[in-house]
Amino acid sequence: NAQGHTLIAPGLLPQVLTPDEKAVFDLIYATDVSKRVTSTSGIAKNVGKNPSQISRIKSSIIAKTKSYL
């Protein structure tokens, strides 16, 4: 559940995320809903990576988040 990750992540995840992971995380879970980007292709355009790289980064974020649950 995205809300659960949002509650856990801000305090715990920033120290363990790589800069690329943090950039992707910040787009997905932006506090300003109008600035959120959730599509893989939209995130890729924003951070200058290709969609397959974003998919791997998202998987890594999810794995790190699960370690806190």
Side-chain angles (χ1 to χ4, degrees):
N1 150 342
Q3 285 184 334
H5 291 175
T6 303
L7 293 174
I8 292 168
L12 300 175
L13 276 181
Q15 314 115 8
V16 298
L17 294 179
T18 67
D20 285 340
E21 290 168 344
K22 179 138 178 36
V24 170
F25 181 88
D26 288 346
L27 286 170
I28 295 170
Y29 297 106
T31 25
D32 182 347
V33 177
S34 69
K35 294 182 180 178
R36 285 186 184 166
V37 180
T38 55
S39 73
T40 299
S41 60
I43 295 167
K45 287 177 188 173
N46 272 277
V47 298
K49 301 219 177 266
N50 67 52
S52 63
Q53 289 172 307
I54 297 304
S55 291
R56 286 190 295 274
I57 291 169
K58 287 168 79 174
S59 294
S60 178
I61 293 168
I62 290 167
K64 288 179 180 181
T65 302
K66 285 181 179 180
S67 72
Y68 288 102
L69 297 177

